[in-house]
Each structure stands twice: as structure tokens, then as C-alpha cells.
């Protein structure tokens, strides 16, 4: 995090240093009379004034304290537009829409929309298995399913919502997605048969394999085969 | 008279060609068969082409003979009907969620023609009108922005050649039963020149907030394929590309715009890019948890293994080639590293007992294909050909056994192990392991 903000700040310093011609920038940014512009560009604190002028010229594009746009292209969407585009779901449940669905409701939808490819009990078929495979990950034949492998219940919700059913992605309502996820988690013994999932409790479901994922950057110094004795000569 | 003979001869050969191609396509439901069939046809075409030239040579030396005019100018060029290299299609029940592989053995230089660039789609190729398409940048930014494709083309652009390789490339090479040819074993990698706007420019225009450290990139395909990408990479060398090899992206490569993350696993170079959400942590999408993670032998999984490590493969002689007899050949191949430029490639013809440094052909660009070659006199005996690459950061291509030792045999992705081709005394080259 720290490294990134340093990076961004260095980037902006470079951007400013690279600005080829302060006068051009001023000309482009606002319609101040020429004589005043010439005076400004000659002044010692030109850079600061450019930023201030940009702020005055395009107030809608510039948040207070934020660097101005260099090129000023692109439109600023309304909050409503952004909300309509943004279907992402975070592991903490951020972004989950209101809705609810039970295991029982999920079973009905699953048998119509999912079972043909994934099997009646999630055992797999033309598409991958969704249930089973518990305690197989260390075996020679690991079975990676939602129950045995997927680390977050929110990922299941998000993926069903955006990509399933395969032939008609996007057709399920939020309630139906909660229901199908509840059923798939039930098939894996992760929630009870009487369970209902909604936007408040989905992210609280702890998946069995949640803590088994390690960023490669942390692993590689230990296990990267290219490194010991091979890096360099 | 000569001319007439030549024309007749050529038309007969073309008719034969058409017939062969037609029958091949009609019976082409079995793609594996088509793969071998096309190679056979390739040699067939070579013979036809050669004999046609011979037939015409008489005419060419007859100065009194008239000559036929060639084809007129055309709006969009196609290749010679004698050229038949094509992508190898994986047979799946749902061809919209499938892959096709680049015919590496038929390639020259370091660039892959756009029409032969490998494909991996999860929900088909969307047909997108570029005028209607938008890219939204939002999340932890000072100001969300919506760009049209026309807007993007007004911004400063860059061009660079870089490979894109699917993390699953070489997935056939973990066990004893490996793929029969280099197209099937290594064809999920291609190299193009990409042109577009540095993502850093767009992010700077939106103004990333200091607490942000990741972004989520989302495509406009039916399943809205998405991946989380560290902001550090986005600010480093990521491109929002609209150009490929001098023209617009092909639809199957993300038209009208795609993300290109040089050197990183192909899945992160999100095609049909529609949205970038700047955030302070990864979203843990399906394709960075359930997929594209490497299950290790201890049950843990390696996640966010973005870099495609140093790799090389011999493309000639390779599986399904046949050497006509002992004598001189040039061993050729491709090498690449997601960390930088290729420093050296070594070739062995005795299953890795001795290694000889191959010549690296210029240009040698970072995170792009590099071509190597080595003259070789085949004595007609059994030979096992291997190549191993070293990149400029000092990473050396491991053996598959090294990888299995380190990660187990179930890690599935990121197999950059050394590949063996066996040359039999009869000249046939196969995938038999050393």
C-alpha cells in the first residue's frame, strides 16, 4: 500500500516535470485572455497556478486536493450509472444486493437449470462437480468442488449471478441466486437444510478450504524451483 | 502449347486441392484427425506447388510465350491457397467455452498472425459495436470516468510486442502421456504487437486514491469474465489495447478493447474490457480462486501466480514431423519469459546429457517470443531433443520433474518444464519422453 502511494506520487511528479510546455497547457485549459496567460506562464509559480486554473476551469472534474486530469477526456458517470454497471461482490459481502433464498427453493431451481450439466446431487456430468471431494486435496486424485476447494461463499454467489446457467447467464434474479447458492452449499454439508441465505448472512458462511490459499509471492522464495542453485549461474 | 499445358496442369492441381480440402472439412468433425490430415495435406501441397513450378519453368524460359495475368488488387488480403496452417480446436460439448491453439511449428519469426492467435473463451465471442462500447473506471478514484473507444484513441498510445500465454499451456505435460505435437502441447501461447493506451494514463486521469492497491477488470462477454490485478502492475506496463499486429483487435481477441498485461497469465489480460474497479483488495473472483490456482502437494494452493515463467520449446523437429533422412537440419524453437528478455537458450540432442548454446535471433524483446536455432547433423540414430532457456533475470527453465518435486503433480497450471521430442531412426518425431 505504502509502496503504491509512493509510486503514484512519483508518477505525478514525473507527469508535471514532463509537461512539455506550460503555456500550451494553460492555453488548452481555459479561456483566460492572452495577455494574462502570458503573464501567468512567465511568473515563477506557474505550476501552482496551472493547477489552480484547471480547478477553476473544470470544477466538475476536479475533487478538492486531487490532481487534475491531464487530458480531460471521458465522461463523468452519475452514481446511478455506476451502480447499474457495478455487479462486483467482495469476500466481505460488499456489493451483495438485497434478496433471500432457501435451500428448498434452491433445489427446485437447481433441478430445472443446473442439474442437467452438474448432476442432480452436484456430482458433475458434462460440467464440473459442485459437491463432494472433501479431504481429497492431498490425495493423488483431488476433486476440486465448491465444497472442497472454493474459499469464499461470495465467489459462488458472484459466479452464479454473472455466468450461470451457462446458456443463459444473467437470467436468475437475486433471490434465485441466493436460493441456488444455499442449495449448493447444502449439498456440500456447509449449511443446514432449513437455511435461508440473504445479503446479511451469506458472507458469514465459512467455507472449509478458506485458509488454504497462499499468494505465490509468499510461496515462491521457498518453493520456486528456478531459484535455488539455478538463478544466476 | 506450353502455356496451355501449364494452365491445364495447374487447374487440375487446384481442383485436386479443392477436392482434398473439401473432403477434409466434410469429415472434419474429428479434429484430432484433421490435425494429422492437415499436415499430410501440407506436404501434399508442397509437392504440388513444386511440380507446378517445374511445369511452368519451361514456359518461363520460352520468351515467345504469352503470360497469364495474375489476380487483381483486393480490399483485404488472404493467404495463398497452398497455406493451410490453422488453430487446433479443443473438442468440448460447449464450443463457446473452449480453446484453440496456435500452430507454433508452422510459424516464422516471433509474431503470431492475429488469425492464428490462440483463443480461450468462457462464454463465446461477443459481437460488439465499437461505437456503443464503453469503458467505466470507478471505485476508489477521485472521479469515475466513462470512455468511448474514440476517446481512448485520442490519448497517448504505445505499441509493444509481447506474448500472451494461457496459464494452462503445457497442462498436457505433467504426466507420462504428453501431447503428440507442439501445437497441442504449447499452442496456448502467441505473440503479437499490441497498441493501446497505457492503463496508468487512464488511472491517473481518474486519480487513484491512496488506499487503493488492486483493481478488478471485467469483460463484456456473456459471463462478464473478471480478474483482480494489483495496481502496481496496472501502473507498470498494462495496456488497454485496441490494436493488434497493425489493425484492430480481432473479435476473438477482445474487440474493440482488451487489457494486455505483458508477461502475465493470459486470463488476466481481460478481453472485451468494459469496467475497471479500483479497490483496496482482490475480489476473489472465480478465476482467481477455483481456477488459475495451483494445488500443492500439502493441500495448500498457490494463488495470484501471475507471472509466466521462463520457457522454451523446439518447434522443429517436433511431434509428427518426419525427417527425410540423415544429414543437415536446423533445430528451431521459441523461448519466452514473463519477467524479461531471453538471455540464452541451450539445446540438447541426447536427452539432456550435453547442452549446446543455440543462436538467438534478433529482435530479443522483453516478455516477447524469442526465436532460437542451432545447426544439427542428424546421424540417423535415435535422438532426444530438448531446449532450456535462461532469462535476463537469471531464472532458468526447470524440468517437469523439478516442478512436480516442488509443487506436486496436481498443480495443473504454470507448467514451464523442459519438453522432449524423440527422433526415431525412421525419421519420425514423437512426443515420447526421454
Amino acid at each position: 500500500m505504502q509502496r503504491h502511494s509512493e509510486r503514484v506520487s512519483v508518477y505525478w511528479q514525473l507527469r508535471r516535470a514532463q509537461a512539455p510546455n506550460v503555456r500550451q497547457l494553460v492555453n488548452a485549459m481555459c479561456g483566460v485572455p492572452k495577455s494574462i496567460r502570458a503573464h501567468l506562464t512567465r511568473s515563477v509559480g506557474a505550476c501552482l497556478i496551472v493547477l489552480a486554473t484547471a480547478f477553476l476551469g473544470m470544477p466538475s472534474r476536479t475533487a478538492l486536493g486531487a490532481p487534475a486530469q491531464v487530458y480531460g477526456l471521458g465522461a463523468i458517470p452519475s452514481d446511478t450509472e455506476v451502480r447499474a454497471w457495478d455487479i462486483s461482490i467482495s469476500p466481505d459481502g460488499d456489493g451483495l444486493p438485497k434478496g433471500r433464498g432457501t435451500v428448498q427453493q434452491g433445489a427446485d431451481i437447481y433441478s430445472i437449470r443446473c442439474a442437467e450439466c452438474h448432476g442432480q446431487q452436484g456430482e458433475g456430468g458434462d460440467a464440473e462437480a459442485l459437491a463432494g471431494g472433501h479431504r481429497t486435496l492431498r490425495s493423488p486424485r483431488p476433486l476440486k468442488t465448491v465444497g472442497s476447494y472454493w474459499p469464499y461463499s461470495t465467489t459462488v454467489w458472484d459466479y452464479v449471478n454473472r455466468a450461470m446457467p451457462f446458456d443463459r447467464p444473467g437470467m436468475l434474479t437475486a433471490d434465485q441466486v441466493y436460493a441456488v447458492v444455499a442449495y449448493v452449499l447444502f449439498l456440500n454439508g456447509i449449511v443446514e437444510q432449513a437455511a435461508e441465505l440473504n445479503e446479511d448472512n451469506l458472507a458469514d458462511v465459512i467455507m472449509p478450504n478458506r485458509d488454504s490459499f497462499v499468494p505465490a509471492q509468499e510461496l515462491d522464495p521457498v518453493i520456486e524451483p528456478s531459484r535455488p542453485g539455478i538463478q544466476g549461474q | 502449347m506450353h502455356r496451355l499445358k501449364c494452365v491445364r496442369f495447374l487447374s487440375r492441381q487446384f481442383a485436386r486441392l479443392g477436392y482434398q480440402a473439401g473432403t477434409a472439412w466434410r469429415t472434419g468433425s474429428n479434429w484430432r484427425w484433421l490435425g494429422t490430415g492437415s499436415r499430410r495435406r501440407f506436404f501434399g501441397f508442397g509437392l504440388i506447388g513444386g511440380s507446378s513450378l517445374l511445369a511452368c519453368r519451361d514456359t518461363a524460359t520460352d520468351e515467345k510465350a504469352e503470360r497469364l495475368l495474375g489476380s487483381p488488387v483486393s480490399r483485404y488480403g488472404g493467404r495463398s491457397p497452398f497455406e493451410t496452417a490453422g488453430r487446433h480446436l479443443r473438442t468440448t460439448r460447449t464450443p463457446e467455452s473452449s480453446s484453440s491453439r496456435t500452430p507454433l511449428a508452422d510459424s516464422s519469426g516471433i509474431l503470431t498472425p492475429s488469425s492464428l492467435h490462440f483463443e480461450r473463451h468462457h462464454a463465446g465471442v461477443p459481437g460488439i459495436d465499437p461505437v456503443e462500447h464503453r469503458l467505466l473506471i470507478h471505485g476508489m478514484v477521485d472521479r469515475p470516468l466513462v470512455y468511448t473507444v474514440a476517446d481512448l484513441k485520442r490519448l497517448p498510445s504505445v505499441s509493444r510486442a509481447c506474448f500472451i500465454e494461457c496459464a494452462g499451456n503445457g497442462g498436457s505435460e505433467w504426466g507420462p502421456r504428453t501431447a503428440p505435437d507442439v501445437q497441442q502441447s504449447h499452442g496456448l501461447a502467441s505473440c503479437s504487437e499490441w497498441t493501446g493506451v497505457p492503463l496508468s494514463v487512464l488511472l491517473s486521469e481518474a486519480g487513484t486514491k491512496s488506499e487503493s492497491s488492486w483493481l478488478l477488470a471485467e469483460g463484456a462477454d456473456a459471463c462478464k469474465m473478471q480478474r483482480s490485478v494489483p495496481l502496481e502492475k496496472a501502473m507498470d506496463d498494462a495496456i488497454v489495447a485496441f490494436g493488434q499486429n497493425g489493425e484492430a483487435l480481432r473479435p476473438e481477441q477482445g474487440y474493440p478493447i482488451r487489457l494486455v498485461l505483458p508477461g502475465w497469465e493470459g486470463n488476466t489480460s481481460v478481453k472485451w474490457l468494459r469496467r475497471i474497479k479500483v479497490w483496496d483488495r482482490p475480489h476473489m473472483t472465480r478465476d482467481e480462486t477455483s481456477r488459475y490456482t495451483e494445488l500443492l502437494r500439502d493441500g495448500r494452493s498457490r494463488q495470484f501466480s501471475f507471472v509466466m515463467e521462463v520457457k522454451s520449446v523446439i518447434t522443429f523437429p517436433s511431434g509428427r514431423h518426419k525427417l527425410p533422412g540423415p544429414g543437415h537440419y536446423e533445430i528451431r524453437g521459441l523461448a519466452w519469459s514473463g519477467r524479461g528478455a531471453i538471455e540464452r537458450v541451450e539445446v540438447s540432442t541426447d536427452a539432456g546429457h550435453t547442452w549446446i548454446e543455440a543462436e538467438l535471433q534478433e529482435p530479443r524483446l522483453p516478455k516477447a517470443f524469442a526465436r532460437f536455432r542451432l545447426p544439427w547433423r542428424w546421424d540417423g540414430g535415435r535422438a532426444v531433443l530438448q531446449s532450456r532457456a535462461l532469462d535476463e533475470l537469471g531464472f532458468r527453465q526447470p524440468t517437469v520433474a523439478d516442478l512436480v518435486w516442488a509443487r506436486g503433480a496436481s498443480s495443473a497450471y504454470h507448467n514451464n518444464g523442459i519438453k522432449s521430442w524423440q527422433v526415431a531412426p525412421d525419421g519420425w518425431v514423437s512426443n515420447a519422453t526421454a
Side-chain angles (χ1 to χ4, degrees):
Chain A
M1 187 84 80
Q2 186 58 35
R3 212 165 144 201
H4 165 64
S5 33
E6 278 170 22
R7 228 192 147 84
V8 171
S9 111
V10 167
Y11 178 81
W12 273 103
Q13 284 165 18
L14 282 174
R15 265 259 168 265
R16 288 176 195 133
Q18 282 168 357
N21 186 332
V22 173
R23 186 193 298 261
Q24 276 176 9
L25 205 54
V26 174
N27 288 357
M29 282 195 170
C30 66
V32 182
K34 199 173 181 178
S35 58
I36 299 176
R37 282 204 309 260
H39 176 72
L40 292 183
T41 51
R42 274 196 298 271
S43 70
V44 182
C47 268
L48 287 173
I49 293 166
V50 165
L51 286 173
T53 320
F55 177 69
L56 290 172
M58 293 183 290
S60 65
R61 290 183 172 280
T62 312
L64 200 59
Q69 286 180 278
V70 175
Y71 305 102
L73 295 170
I76 294 182
S78 68
D79 288 349
T80 319
E81 283 175 293
V82 171
R83 271 199 298 277
W85 278 63
D86 184 5
I87 59 165
S88 5
I89 313 292
S90 268
D92 59 7
D94 185 76
L96 280 171
K98 280 192 187 312
R100 59 188 185 174
T102 64
V103 169
Q104 199 51 53
Q105 290 163 340
D108 295 340
I109 300 162
Y110 183 94
S111 66
I112 299 167
R113 293 286 170 201
C114 321
E116 186 187 347
C117 299
H118 291 288
Q120 281 296 340
Q121 300 296 314
E123 71 276 17
D126 288 328
E128 69 194 74
L130 302 177
H134 300 275
R135 292 187 292 278
T136 64
L137 296 184
R138 293 183 201 185
S139 76
R141 289 178 173 268
L143 179 60
K144 298 192 220 174
T145 70
V146 169
S148 70
Y149 198 66
W150 291 45
Y152 299 100
S153 55
T154 49
T155 308
V156 189
W157 199 98
D158 175 65
Y159 188 64
V160 172
N161 182 52
R162 71 175 58 230
M164 288 292 126
F166 176 77
D167 57 342
R168 292 179 67 187
M171 70 163 290
L172 298 178
T173 65
D175 286 345
Q176 289 174 321
V177 177
Y178 281 110
V180 167
V181 172
Y183 182 64
V184 171
L185 295 180
F186 165 72
L187 287 177
N188 281 286
I190 296 171
V191 300
E192 301 291 322
Q193 189 158 15
E196 177 195 275
L197 291 180
N198 56 49
E199 74 273 19
D200 293 324
N201 68 7
L202 176 74
D204 296 335
V205 176
I206 303 297
M207 303 292 277
N209 198 40
R210 189 184 65 173
D211 297 326
S212 299
F213 289 81
V214 187
Q217 298 89 318
E218 290 174 26
L219 281 172
D220 284 351
V222 183
I223 69 153
E224 181 61 64
S226 315
R227 291 251 180 141
I230 295 178
Q231 190 175 19
Q233 277 299 289
Chain B
M1 197 57 203
H2 271 303
R3 184 175 67 88
L4 202 63
K5 268 187 188 165
C6 180
V7 169
R8 273 192 198 146
F9 181 82
L10 272 177
S11 57
R12 269 204 305 275
Q13 299 302 341
F14 269 106
R16 227 179 102 194
L17 268 182
Y19 173 74
Q20 286 194 344
T23 47
W25 280 101
R26 274 197 297 277
T27 55
S29 55
N30 184 337
W31 285 101
R32 189 163 295 202
W33 182 86
L34 190 62
T36 49
S38 67
R39 194 169 307 286
R40 227 174 274 137
R41 286 200 312 286
F42 176 77
F43 286 120
F45 291 172
L47 283 175
I48 294 164
S51 49
S52 306
L53 278 176
L54 282 176
C56 290
R57 195 164 291 159
D58 288 346
T59 315
T61 53
D62 184 349
E63 292 182 8
K64 288 191 175 172
E66 292 177 27
R67 289 169 298 282
L68 281 179
L69 296 180
S71 306
V73 292
S74 60
R75 263 180 68 77
Y76 196 84
R79 63 180 172 179
S80 159
F82 293 98
E83 294 300 318
T84 57
R87 292 188 283 226
H88 179 273
L89 309 187
R90 185 172 140 229
T91 311
T92 55
R93 188 167 172 272
T94 50
E96 301 87 359
S97 175
S98 188
S99 59
S100 70
R101 292 159 192 257
T102 296
L104 295 175
D106 299 311
S107 69
S108 58
I110 61 169
L111 294 183
T112 309
S114 304
S115 50
L116 296 176
H117 194 290
F118 86 87
E119 300 166 280
R120 174 74 179 98
H121 315 310
H122 296 80
V125 179
I128 296 175
D129 177 350
V131 176
E132 300 296 322
H133 191 75
R134 298 287 184 275
L135 171 64
L136 169 66
I137 299 175
H138 72 114
M140 294 178 179
V141 294
D142 296 327
R143 62 192 81 77
L145 289 169
V146 177
Y147 286 99
T148 63
V149 178
D151 288 337
L152 295 174
K153 289 182 176 175
R154 285 171 64 183
L155 290 165
S157 63
V158 293
S159 292
R160 73 171 292 176
C162 65
F163 74 84
I164 292 182
E165 181 182 17
C166 179
N169 199 27
S172 58
E173 306 302 301
W174 288 104
R177 294 181 58 192
T178 56
D181 59 42
V182 71
Q183 181 166 14
Q184 291 183 58
S185 66
H186 287 70
L188 290 174
S190 307
C191 186
S192 287
E193 186 206 60
W194 304 98
T195 297
V197 186
L199 181 52
S200 59
V201 169
L202 301 178
L203 292 175
S204 299
E205 289 289 280
T208 52
K209 290 193 183 296
S210 59
E211 66 267 31
S212 61
S213 53
W214 286 77
L215 58 80
L216 182 72
E218 181 184 80
D221 47 346
C223 67
K224 294 183 180 169
M225 225 292 301
Q226 52 168 0
R227 281 298 297 263
S228 301
V229 177
L231 208 48
E232 193 175 357
K233 176 68 174 179
M235 297 302 282
D236 180 17
D237 60 359
I239 302 169
V240 175
F242 46 77
Q244 180 187 9
N245 296 331
E247 61 180 354
L249 297 179
R250 294 290 167 101
E252 68 268 32
Q253 293 307 323
Y255 184 85
I257 52 170
R258 76 175 298 170
L259 198 56
V260 173
L261 301 184
W264 281 24
E265 61 184 23
N267 185 253
T268 61
S269 287
V270 174
K271 297 187 282 191
W272 315 291
L273 185 67
R274 72 190 287 266
R275 186 165 72 92
I276 287 173
K277 182 176 188 175
V278 179
W279 211 239
D280 61 358
R281 55 199 181 278
H283 273 73
M284 300 296 180
T285 70
R286 180 253 197 178
D287 284 312
E288 60 215 23
T289 53
S290 139
R291 294 292 199 280
Y292 303 102
T293 49
E294 290 87 68
L295 177 60
L296 306 176
R297 63 167 81 248
D298 64 3
R300 293 185 302 164
S301 286
R302 193 169 172 257
Q303 191 181 26
F304 304 124
S305 46
F306 296 119
V307 178
M308 297 311 292
E309 301 284 359
V310 61
K311 190 168 185 175
S312 70
V313 68
I314 292 170
T315 56
F316 179 85
S318 62
R320 291 184 167 151
H321 285 157
K322 186 177 192 310
L323 305 182
H328 169 83
Y329 294 93
E330 186 172 71
I331 295 173
R332 299 183 192 122
L334 293 164
W336 60 95
S337 165
R339 295 189 187 270
I342 290 296
E343 183 75 23
R344 193 168 70 226
V345 176
E346 294 167 326
V347 169
S348 170
T349 58
D350 56 6
H353 295 293
T354 57
W355 295 88
I356 307 162
E357 186 170 349
E359 184 187 342
L360 281 171
Q361 180 176 303
E362 294 294 336
R364 270 188 306 134
L365 305 168
K367 305 178 186 180
F369 277 179
R371 187 163 281 276
F372 63 88
R373 51 189 184 209
L374 180 75
W376 176 49
R377 184 162 292 278
W378 181 44
D379 61 10
R382 181 179 175 274
V384 174
L385 310 183
Q386 297 178 334
S387 66
R388 65 181 186 192
L390 181 81
D391 70 20
E392 61 181 347
L393 280 96
F395 286 83
R396 178 180 284 185
Q397 184 177 6
T399 62
V400 175
D402 285 341
L403 286 169
V404 171
W405 175 82
R407 294 178 194 158
S410 300
S411 55
Y413 300 99
H414 288 269
N415 185 341
N416 63 325
I418 291 172
K419 172 72 179 170
S420 304
W421 299 114
Q422 179 177 269
V423 184
D426 63 0
W428 279 104
V429 186
S430 71
N431 55 326
T433 47

